[in-house]
Amino acid sequence: MQYPNGKKSSAFRQTNHTSKTVYSNRGMSLEDDINDTNQYYLTQNLAIVHKKPTPVQIVNVDYPRRSAAVIKEAYFKQASTTDYNGVYKGKYIDFEAKETKNKQSFPLQNIHQHQIDHMKQVVEHGGICFLLIRFSVTQETFLFPAQALFKYWNSQFNGGRKSIRYETVKQKGYIIPIRYQAKVDYLAVIDKYYMENGGTTHDRK
Amino acid sequence: MQYPNGKKSSAFRQTNHTSKTVYSNRGMSLEDDINDTNQYYLTQNLAIVHKKPTPVQIVNVDYPRRSAAVIKEAYFKQASTTDYNGVYKGKYIDFEAKETKNKQSFPLQNIHQHQIDHMKQVVEHGGICFLLIRFSVTQETFLFPAQALFKYWNSQFNGGRKSIRYETVKQKGYIIPIRYQAKVDYLAVIDKYYMENGGTTHDRK
């Protein structure tokens, strides 16, 4: 009875897709799928997770009479944190999502040092932190725990690979089940991940 | 030994004050003070709290050769959540901050229905949620718990006041101590607030 009807799914479409990249012929982008999933979690009262707005440095704003302020000059800023955060069963949850066209590996250049620093802080403060990696060719999405990411991130500065092999992502990460209502059902994996690591058993109802 | 030296404080100044409103002759704005406080908490490893970027609807972007993309047309969007969130001792923390020039009361029109909806969800999911209210004339800043806010918010639609009296803010809220390093030391009040409400005792080290 907690499942949404067809109407809700189309309602998500209308509200969420404002400034997306359109990938014709190969389904929705990872960002769109995550937005839909978050909207589903919100509607079903499972978790409260939002994407942060794109950080923009505003330089010049025009205030015309009788109409809305228009930003005339602005620049994209590098994000100092991850893109998504929120609350799940009282706990802080924080993640970044990246898609790659590469089949063999996930290039680490998709991530910035600032984001790694932020993720380390989150882990240290007891938050649930991870990377969602989608291989767009196979449309597989993995939850890759932050703790595992740090190891490969550091290794690249000591002569190691500048990417994480697909096989490693598969082995150290968790494939995310695709559900009609939750296209990137990461909560299912969080429950599993926390159980396996001896944390509290998070049973989903 | 955990206290920062003078250098750090000036370093905060340089990095945080990018798109602020300048209030000359009456000290820093609430947003600046909170940014400094969050930076202090981050440096001292007490909590990880960030301000979300201002939500902007980007309409037109110019991509000049050999230089950064320029946003040529964009509009401010209404925030669907609060401005600040993060993690404190593993728990999710979420708040909005508002300043008023009014001496007698805090006008509820400073808050949007979307934000109230979001705050209700956060409370339901076990997050720590509140409003920071500053009366700019007296420079007093209060932590006003979300649960108290909901009551006054709802009351305005049933013939009640459209503002919360200063005396009520003082009585139902908690005045925030001003410290040199943490100008809006809300963690001190969270510890107190949670203790008084029978939650776990959060001793600060």
Side-chain angles (χ1 to χ4, degrees), chain A residues 93-115:
Chain A
I93 181 171
D94 189 299
F95 60 95
E96 181 63 34
K98 292 292 177 191
E99 204 161 358
T100 180
K101 290 176 182 170
N102 208 313
K103 285 181 207 176
Q104 310 293 339
S105 65
F106 173 76
L108 286 166
Q109 65 185 12
N110 280 310
I111 314 285
H112 304 295
Q113 183 65 53
H114 271 123
Q115 295 178 313

Short mmCIF file of all heavy atoms in Angstrom, two decimals, chain A residues 93-115:
data_model
loop_
_atom_site.label_atom_id
_atom_site.label_comp_id
_atom_site.label_asym_id
_atom_site.label_seq_id
_atom_site.Cartn_x
_atom_site.Cartn_y
_atom_site.Cartn_z
N ILE A 93 23.26 11.73 5.84
CA ILE A 93 23.63 11.00 4.64
C ILE A 93 24.17 11.99 3.61
O ILE A 93 23.64 13.11 3.49
CB ILE A 93 22.42 10.19 4.12
CG1 ILE A 93 22.75 9.39 2.88
CG2 ILE A 93 21.21 11.04 3.86
CD1 ILE A 93 21.63 8.44 2.49
N ASP A 94 25.24 11.65 2.91
CA ASP A 94 25.94 12.60 2.05
C ASP A 94 26.60 11.84 0.90
O ASP A 94 27.31 10.87 1.13
CB ASP A 94 27.02 13.28 2.92
CG ASP A 94 27.70 14.44 2.24
OD1 ASP A 94 28.33 14.22 1.18
OD2 ASP A 94 27.63 15.56 2.77
N PHE A 95 26.32 12.27 -0.33
CA PHE A 95 26.97 11.57 -1.44
C PHE A 95 27.15 12.44 -2.67
O PHE A 95 26.54 13.49 -2.81
CB PHE A 95 26.21 10.28 -1.80
CG PHE A 95 24.78 10.45 -2.23
CD1 PHE A 95 24.44 10.54 -3.57
CD2 PHE A 95 23.75 10.49 -1.29
CE1 PHE A 95 23.12 10.68 -3.97
CE2 PHE A 95 22.43 10.63 -1.67
CZ PHE A 95 22.11 10.73 -3.02
N GLU A 96 28.03 11.94 -3.55
CA GLU A 96 28.27 12.56 -4.84
C GLU A 96 27.89 11.52 -5.90
O GLU A 96 27.98 10.32 -5.64
CB GLU A 96 29.76 12.92 -4.94
CG GLU A 96 30.20 13.61 -6.20
CD GLU A 96 29.55 14.96 -6.42
OE1 GLU A 96 29.28 15.67 -5.44
OE2 GLU A 96 29.31 15.29 -7.60
N ALA A 97 27.48 11.97 -7.08
CA ALA A 97 27.08 11.04 -8.13
C ALA A 97 27.83 11.37 -9.41
O ALA A 97 27.91 12.53 -9.80
CB ALA A 97 25.57 11.14 -8.37
N LYS A 98 28.40 10.35 -10.04
CA LYS A 98 29.17 10.56 -11.27
C LYS A 98 28.88 9.47 -12.28
O LYS A 98 28.79 8.29 -11.93
CB LYS A 98 30.67 10.55 -10.96
CG LYS A 98 31.16 11.72 -10.13
CD LYS A 98 31.08 13.02 -10.87
CE LYS A 98 31.50 14.19 -9.98
NZ LYS A 98 31.18 15.48 -10.60
N GLU A 99 28.79 9.89 -13.52
CA GLU A 99 28.50 8.99 -14.62
C GLU A 99 29.75 8.95 -15.51
O GLU A 99 30.39 9.98 -15.70
CB GLU A 99 27.34 9.60 -15.41
CG GLU A 99 26.52 8.63 -16.21
CD GLU A 99 25.15 9.23 -16.56
OE1 GLU A 99 24.85 10.37 -16.13
OE2 GLU A 99 24.39 8.56 -17.26
N THR A 100 30.10 7.77 -16.03
CA THR A 100 31.22 7.72 -16.97
C THR A 100 30.84 6.90 -18.19
O THR A 100 30.08 5.93 -18.09
CB THR A 100 32.51 7.15 -16.32
OG1 THR A 100 33.54 7.13 -17.30
CG2 THR A 100 32.32 5.73 -15.79
N LYS A 101 31.36 7.33 -19.35
CA LYS A 101 31.13 6.59 -20.60
C LYS A 101 32.16 5.48 -20.76
O LYS A 101 32.05 4.62 -21.62
CB LYS A 101 31.22 7.54 -21.79
CG LYS A 101 30.06 8.51 -21.85
CD LYS A 101 30.22 9.50 -23.00
CE LYS A 101 29.08 10.50 -23.00
NZ LYS A 101 29.30 11.61 -23.94
N ASN A 102 33.19 5.56 -19.93
CA ASN A 102 34.25 4.56 -19.93
C ASN A 102 33.70 3.20 -19.51
O ASN A 102 32.91 3.12 -18.58
CB ASN A 102 35.31 5.03 -18.92
CG ASN A 102 36.69 4.54 -19.24
OD1 ASN A 102 36.87 3.37 -19.53
ND2 ASN A 102 37.65 5.43 -19.19
N LYS A 103 34.13 2.13 -20.20
CA LYS A 103 33.63 0.79 -19.85
C LYS A 103 34.52 0.09 -18.83
O LYS A 103 34.08 -0.73 -18.04
CB LYS A 103 33.60 -0.10 -21.11
CG LYS A 103 32.48 0.20 -22.08
CD LYS A 103 32.56 -0.78 -23.25
CE LYS A 103 31.97 -0.15 -24.49
NZ LYS A 103 32.11 -1.02 -25.67
N GLN A 104 35.82 0.38 -18.92
CA GLN A 104 36.82 -0.39 -18.16
C GLN A 104 37.07 0.17 -16.76
O GLN A 104 37.48 -0.58 -15.88
CB GLN A 104 38.17 -0.37 -18.92
CG GLN A 104 38.08 -0.74 -20.38
CD GLN A 104 37.67 -2.18 -20.59
OE1 GLN A 104 37.83 -2.99 -19.70
NE2 GLN A 104 37.12 -2.50 -21.76
N SER A 105 36.87 1.47 -16.60
CA SER A 105 37.24 2.06 -15.31
C SER A 105 36.53 3.39 -15.07
O SER A 105 35.99 3.99 -16.00
CB SER A 105 38.76 2.27 -15.25
OG SER A 105 39.14 3.23 -16.22
N PHE A 106 36.59 3.83 -13.84
CA PHE A 106 36.04 5.13 -13.44
C PHE A 106 37.19 6.11 -13.22
O PHE A 106 37.99 5.93 -12.29
CB PHE A 106 35.22 4.98 -12.16
CG PHE A 106 34.76 6.30 -11.59
CD1 PHE A 106 33.71 7.00 -12.16
CD2 PHE A 106 35.40 6.86 -10.49
CE1 PHE A 106 33.30 8.21 -11.66
CE2 PHE A 106 34.99 8.08 -9.97
CZ PHE A 106 33.94 8.75 -10.56
N PRO A 107 37.30 7.14 -14.07
CA PRO A 107 38.42 8.10 -13.96
C PRO A 107 38.29 8.97 -12.70
O PRO A 107 37.25 9.58 -12.48
CB PRO A 107 38.31 8.96 -15.22
CG PRO A 107 37.35 8.24 -16.11
CD PRO A 107 36.43 7.47 -15.20
N LEU A 108 39.35 9.04 -11.92
CA LEU A 108 39.30 9.80 -10.67
C LEU A 108 39.24 11.31 -10.89
O LEU A 108 38.92 12.07 -9.98
CB LEU A 108 40.51 9.44 -9.78
CG LEU A 108 40.40 8.06 -9.13
CD1 LEU A 108 41.75 7.62 -8.56
CD2 LEU A 108 39.35 8.06 -8.02
N GLN A 109 39.55 11.74 -12.12
CA GLN A 109 39.48 13.18 -12.40
C GLN A 109 38.04 13.71 -12.33
O GLN A 109 37.83 14.92 -12.36
CB GLN A 109 40.10 13.49 -13.76
CG GLN A 109 39.32 12.89 -14.91
CD GLN A 109 40.02 13.11 -16.26
OE1 GLN A 109 41.17 13.52 -16.31
NE2 GLN A 109 39.32 12.81 -17.35
N ASN A 110 37.08 12.81 -12.23
CA ASN A 110 35.69 13.22 -12.04
C ASN A 110 35.44 13.82 -10.66
O ASN A 110 34.40 14.44 -10.42
CB ASN A 110 34.75 12.02 -12.21
CG ASN A 110 34.48 11.71 -13.68
OD1 ASN A 110 34.12 12.60 -14.44
ND2 ASN A 110 34.66 10.46 -14.07
N ILE A 111 36.37 13.58 -9.76
CA ILE A 111 36.21 14.04 -8.36
C ILE A 111 37.26 15.11 -8.08
O ILE A 111 38.35 15.08 -8.64
CB ILE A 111 36.45 12.86 -7.38
CG1 ILE A 111 35.71 11.60 -7.81
CG2 ILE A 111 36.11 13.24 -5.95
CD1 ILE A 111 34.24 11.64 -7.56
N HIS A 112 36.91 16.06 -7.20
CA HIS A 112 37.86 17.10 -6.83
C HIS A 112 38.38 16.87 -5.40
O HIS A 112 37.68 16.31 -4.57
CB HIS A 112 37.20 18.48 -6.90
CG HIS A 112 36.60 18.77 -8.22
ND1 HIS A 112 37.35 18.90 -9.37
CD2 HIS A 112 35.31 18.93 -8.61
CE1 HIS A 112 36.56 19.14 -10.39
NE2 HIS A 112 35.31 19.16 -9.96
N GLN A 113 39.57 17.38 -5.14
CA GLN A 113 40.17 17.25 -3.81
C GLN A 113 39.26 17.82 -2.71
O GLN A 113 39.11 17.22 -1.64
CB GLN A 113 41.54 17.96 -3.79
CG GLN A 113 42.30 17.83 -2.47
CD GLN A 113 42.71 16.39 -2.17
OE1 GLN A 113 43.33 15.72 -2.99
NE2 GLN A 113 42.34 15.89 -0.99
N HIS A 114 38.60 18.94 -3.01
CA HIS A 114 37.66 19.55 -2.05
C HIS A 114 36.58 18.57 -1.61
O HIS A 114 36.16 18.56 -0.46
CB HIS A 114 36.95 20.74 -2.71
CG HIS A 114 37.68 22.01 -2.55
ND1 HIS A 114 38.06 22.78 -3.62
CD2 HIS A 114 38.09 22.67 -1.45
CE1 HIS A 114 38.70 23.84 -3.18
NE2 HIS A 114 38.72 23.81 -1.88
N GLN A 115 36.10 17.82 -2.59
CA GLN A 115 35.02 16.88 -2.29
C GLN A 115 35.51 15.72 -1.44
O GLN A 115 34.82 15.27 -0.52
CB GLN A 115 34.41 16.38 -3.60
CG GLN A 115 33.73 17.51 -4.37
CD GLN A 115 33.15 17.07 -5.69
OE1 GLN A 115 33.81 16.38 -6.47
NE2 GLN A 115 31.93 17.48 -5.95
#
